[in-house]
Amino acid sequence: MKLFFLPLLILLFSPLLNASVENSELKKMIGRMLIVGFETPFVDENSSIVQDMRDYNLGGVILFDKFYNNKNRTKNISSPSQLKKLTTQLKSFSKEPLFIALDQEGGRVARLKPKYGFSTIPSAQKISQMPLETVKKLYKKQSVMLKNAGINLNFAPVLDLSLNADNNVIFKLERSFGKEATKVAKYAQILIDAQTKHNIISVAKHFPGHGSSLGDSHKGFVDITHTWNKEELKPYKILIHEHALNAVMTAHVFNAKLDEKYPATLSYKINTELLRKQLGFRGVIISDDMQMKAISAHYSLKQALTLAINSGVDILLFGNQLAYNSTKEIVETIYKEVKNGNIPLRRIIEANNKIANLHTQNIIIHKPIIFTPKRIEMTKSYIHTHYAKNPKTIEITPKIIVLHWTAVMNLKDSFARLKSEKLFSDRKDIAAASTLNVSAHFLIDRDGTIYQLMPDNWMARHVIGLNYSSIGIENVGGEENKKEDLTSEQVKANIALINYLKEKYPTIEYLVGHYEYLQMQNRPLWLERDKGYRTKKVDPGKTFMQQVRKGVATLKLKKPNE
């Protein structure tokens, strides 16, 4: 597996928020913010898109089956084998993590069509009329299809409410799960879960809502001022609260109730004040296609780029279907605006950090431990006995990240020690406290591969006294529980994962090595009632903690004695 840990590289720029960045590096940082379209079903070292990757560290590509103005001409997709070859070629030429994206909603909005040899996936409207188990199977099937094709980002699900029967772009194309926000969120969550398990990034769209519109933003200005209502925000509220959204696409719609001057894609009031500050979204904001007439017919390229980035957009989408802009032209335009002071450098750095965290999230492999209702009840019992709480769920509010080593030297055996529900018989040192098995949220192999073992906001038993507010990260190694042998790849992986978790959970305050946990006994987060329940720890090693702390210094996480 080819692993990238871009957060480590990008965060090196964080101290430069008010300083300068080398011109070539700045252009590459701008290039990371672009997803662009190109015209061929194959690439080689001489292709212009490959040159863009080399020159600008291009962030991603978007694939289409046909040309917008010539439906008989193949663009990027003609068959499963051809597409797999193309995506393999693209990845081989990219030195950095590359988004390979398309629109695969199902129904009429599907780049992977049955006539090319791909599976049939129904529209969102039809999906919403099916039993949930059927929906889960269909979206698992689609996710496997996308992964096998080499796709890692899908512009779906649609969170627009089906509010207007005269709407040509949502209602009449059957792209909505329904008119009720809770139903839309429920079915969208199924799609997101399926894609996440198969390492496909979900991009929810079209914020702040396109379902009540009359016009098509592909063709021109769309005003939803008198048709939009706040209920259209509810699917986003629900999924943001559930930490389910990592990327959101803006709509090119104008809504004077939210911003009397700019359409959503260019609106600071909508993207930053509403989506980020009011709704609490901390992921990546992606523009809809910047070449749609709703934008391109009313703003110059320079105006649109400057307004979008300053509004809070992190990734700019140029499909090169409705028009054509070269990557060089886009990068140079943004570069000049940064140099002129019209776009703050901090916005470029902020966007790069968010993009890097999205890549980290996408390389995490889901490898669940056993978590039946029995384990949940055992966890509740542990919480009651040791922390004097009677929770209805085992959800926690993460405030601490605790790093460990497994003292077992391979992934298979390390996972086996954490997988079962009941504590192993050789753990007599802690058996009296509970028969609940020890576990962790993440397990990092010696090559840096990150595995997620359980939901990161469920309680795991991994650190005495602090479990109810801690995310545990285990690292394969620590031979005989003595040798400080964790690898440089594990250092990088921990740094990347910590950055991602801090972005996801701003409540996180502390970073603690397991050997340091007793230093928190006088802190409010320490909840252990049994004064005799303590163990001495040496993991994950002092050198390892120093290296990781240096890599996440900009996060300003507290040490246990602070």
Side-chain angles (χ1 to χ4, degrees), residues 415-435:
F415 179 73
R417 296 290 299 185
L418 305 171
K419 182 181 179 180
S420 65
E421 298 179 308
K422 193 172 180 180
L423 193 67
F424 280 66
S425 59
D426 60 4
R427 294 305 308 270
K428 293 182 174 63
D429 57 328
I430 59 173
S434 173
T435 57

Short mmCIF file of all heavy atoms in Angstrom, two decimals, residues 415-435:
data_model
loop_
_atom_site.label_atom_id
_atom_site.label_comp_id
_atom_site.label_asym_id
_atom_site.label_seq_id
_atom_site.Cartn_x
_atom_site.Cartn_y
_atom_site.Cartn_z
N PHE A 415 -3.73 -7.51 16.74
CA PHE A 415 -5.17 -7.40 16.52
C PHE A 415 -5.92 -8.47 17.30
O PHE A 415 -6.97 -8.21 17.90
CB PHE A 415 -5.49 -7.51 15.03
CG PHE A 415 -6.95 -7.43 14.71
CD1 PHE A 415 -7.63 -6.23 14.79
CD2 PHE A 415 -7.66 -8.57 14.37
CE1 PHE A 415 -8.99 -6.16 14.51
CE2 PHE A 415 -9.01 -8.52 14.08
CZ PHE A 415 -9.68 -7.30 14.16
N ALA A 416 -5.37 -9.67 17.30
CA ALA A 416 -6.02 -10.78 18.02
C ALA A 416 -6.16 -10.49 19.50
O ALA A 416 -7.14 -10.89 20.14
CB ALA A 416 -5.23 -12.07 17.80
N ARG A 417 -5.19 -9.79 20.08
CA ARG A 417 -5.24 -9.46 21.50
C ARG A 417 -6.36 -8.46 21.82
O ARG A 417 -6.86 -8.41 22.94
CB ARG A 417 -3.91 -8.87 21.96
CG ARG A 417 -2.73 -9.81 21.86
CD ARG A 417 -2.79 -10.94 22.87
NE ARG A 417 -2.79 -10.47 24.25
CZ ARG A 417 -2.73 -11.28 25.31
NH1 ARG A 417 -2.66 -12.59 25.13
NH2 ARG A 417 -2.73 -10.80 26.54
N LEU A 418 -6.75 -7.66 20.83
CA LEU A 418 -7.75 -6.62 21.05
C LEU A 418 -9.14 -7.00 20.56
O LEU A 418 -10.14 -6.39 20.95
CB LEU A 418 -7.32 -5.32 20.33
CG LEU A 418 -5.93 -4.78 20.68
CD1 LEU A 418 -5.55 -3.64 19.73
CD2 LEU A 418 -5.88 -4.30 22.12
N LYS A 419 -9.21 -8.01 19.71
CA LYS A 419 -10.45 -8.32 19.00
C LYS A 419 -11.57 -8.84 19.88
O LYS A 419 -12.72 -8.41 19.76
CB LYS A 419 -10.15 -9.33 17.89
CG LYS A 419 -11.36 -9.70 17.05
CD LYS A 419 -11.00 -10.71 15.99
CE LYS A 419 -12.21 -11.09 15.16
NZ LYS A 419 -11.88 -12.09 14.11
N SER A 420 -11.26 -9.78 20.76
CA SER A 420 -12.32 -10.46 21.51
C SER A 420 -12.94 -9.55 22.57
O SER A 420 -12.36 -8.54 22.96
CB SER A 420 -11.77 -11.72 22.18
OG SER A 420 -10.80 -11.37 23.16
N GLU A 421 -14.12 -9.94 23.01
CA GLU A 421 -14.86 -9.14 23.98
C GLU A 421 -14.35 -9.32 25.40
O GLU A 421 -14.36 -8.39 26.20
CB GLU A 421 -16.35 -9.50 23.93
CG GLU A 421 -16.98 -9.21 22.58
CD GLU A 421 -18.44 -9.60 22.55
OE1 GLU A 421 -18.76 -10.75 22.90
OE2 GLU A 421 -19.25 -8.74 22.17
N LYS A 422 -13.86 -10.53 25.68
CA LYS A 422 -13.49 -10.86 27.05
C LYS A 422 -11.98 -10.83 27.23
O LYS A 422 -11.22 -11.22 26.35
CB LYS A 422 -14.02 -12.24 27.43
CG LYS A 422 -13.97 -12.56 28.91
CD LYS A 422 -14.70 -13.87 29.20
CE LYS A 422 -14.66 -14.19 30.70
NZ LYS A 422 -15.37 -15.46 31.01
N LEU A 423 -11.53 -10.35 28.36
CA LEU A 423 -10.12 -10.22 28.69
C LEU A 423 -9.42 -11.58 28.64
O LEU A 423 -9.98 -12.59 29.07
CB LEU A 423 -9.98 -9.61 30.09
CG LEU A 423 -8.61 -9.11 30.52
CD1 LEU A 423 -8.19 -7.90 29.72
CD2 LEU A 423 -8.64 -8.77 32.01
N PHE A 424 -8.20 -11.60 28.11
CA PHE A 424 -7.43 -12.83 28.06
C PHE A 424 -7.06 -13.28 29.48
O PHE A 424 -6.84 -12.47 30.38
CB PHE A 424 -6.16 -12.63 27.23
CG PHE A 424 -6.39 -12.71 25.74
CD1 PHE A 424 -7.16 -11.75 25.08
CD2 PHE A 424 -5.85 -13.75 25.00
CE1 PHE A 424 -7.37 -11.82 23.71
CE2 PHE A 424 -6.06 -13.83 23.63
CZ PHE A 424 -6.82 -12.88 22.98
N SER A 425 -6.94 -14.59 29.65
CA SER A 425 -6.68 -15.15 30.97
C SER A 425 -5.31 -14.78 31.53
O SER A 425 -5.09 -14.87 32.74
CB SER A 425 -6.79 -16.69 30.91
OG SER A 425 -5.86 -17.23 29.98
N ASP A 426 -4.39 -14.36 30.66
CA ASP A 426 -3.06 -14.00 31.14
C ASP A 426 -2.98 -12.56 31.65
O ASP A 426 -1.92 -12.09 32.03
CB ASP A 426 -2.00 -14.23 30.05
CG ASP A 426 -2.26 -13.41 28.78
OD1 ASP A 426 -3.21 -12.60 28.78
OD2 ASP A 426 -1.51 -13.59 27.81
N ARG A 427 -4.12 -11.86 31.68
CA ARG A 427 -4.13 -10.48 32.18
C ARG A 427 -4.65 -10.44 33.61
O ARG A 427 -5.57 -9.69 33.94
CB ARG A 427 -4.98 -9.58 31.27
CG ARG A 427 -4.44 -9.37 29.87
CD ARG A 427 -3.00 -8.84 29.85
NE ARG A 427 -2.80 -7.67 30.66
CZ ARG A 427 -2.94 -6.41 30.20
NH1 ARG A 427 -3.27 -6.19 28.95
NH2 ARG A 427 -2.72 -5.39 31.00
N LYS A 428 -4.03 -11.24 34.48
CA LYS A 428 -4.46 -11.28 35.89
C LYS A 428 -4.23 -9.95 36.59
O LYS A 428 -4.89 -9.64 37.59
CB LYS A 428 -3.71 -12.39 36.62
CG LYS A 428 -4.07 -13.80 36.16
CD LYS A 428 -3.34 -14.84 36.97
CE LYS A 428 -3.78 -16.25 36.63
NZ LYS A 428 -3.50 -16.64 35.25
N ASP A 429 -3.30 -9.11 36.06
CA ASP A 429 -2.98 -7.84 36.70
C ASP A 429 -4.16 -6.87 36.69
O ASP A 429 -4.26 -5.99 37.54
CB ASP A 429 -1.76 -7.20 36.03
CG ASP A 429 -1.95 -6.99 34.53
OD1 ASP A 429 -2.66 -7.81 33.89
OD2 ASP A 429 -1.39 -6.03 33.99
N ILE A 430 -5.08 -7.04 35.72
CA ILE A 430 -6.22 -6.11 35.64
C ILE A 430 -7.57 -6.84 35.63
O ILE A 430 -8.61 -6.20 35.52
CB ILE A 430 -6.12 -5.20 34.40
CG1 ILE A 430 -6.08 -6.03 33.11
CG2 ILE A 430 -4.89 -4.30 34.50
CD1 ILE A 430 -6.15 -5.18 31.84
N ALA A 431 -7.54 -8.16 35.74
CA ALA A 431 -8.78 -8.93 35.63
C ALA A 431 -9.78 -8.61 36.74
O ALA A 431 -11.00 -8.65 36.53
CB ALA A 431 -8.46 -10.43 35.64
N ALA A 432 -9.28 -8.28 37.92
CA ALA A 432 -10.18 -7.99 39.04
C ALA A 432 -11.02 -6.75 38.78
O ALA A 432 -12.13 -6.61 39.32
CB ALA A 432 -9.37 -7.81 40.32
N ALA A 433 -10.51 -5.85 37.96
CA ALA A 433 -11.23 -4.60 37.68
C ALA A 433 -12.41 -4.80 36.74
O ALA A 433 -13.43 -4.13 36.85
CB ALA A 433 -10.27 -3.56 37.10
N SER A 434 -12.26 -5.76 35.81
CA SER A 434 -13.33 -6.05 34.86
C SER A 434 -12.87 -7.16 33.91
O SER A 434 -11.67 -7.29 33.63
CB SER A 434 -13.68 -4.81 34.03
OG SER A 434 -14.60 -5.12 33.00
N THR A 435 -13.82 -7.93 33.40
CA THR A 435 -13.50 -8.94 32.39
C THR A 435 -13.60 -8.38 30.97
O THR A 435 -13.35 -9.08 29.99
CB THR A 435 -14.43 -10.15 32.51
OG1 THR A 435 -15.79 -9.72 32.39
CG2 THR A 435 -14.22 -10.87 33.84
#
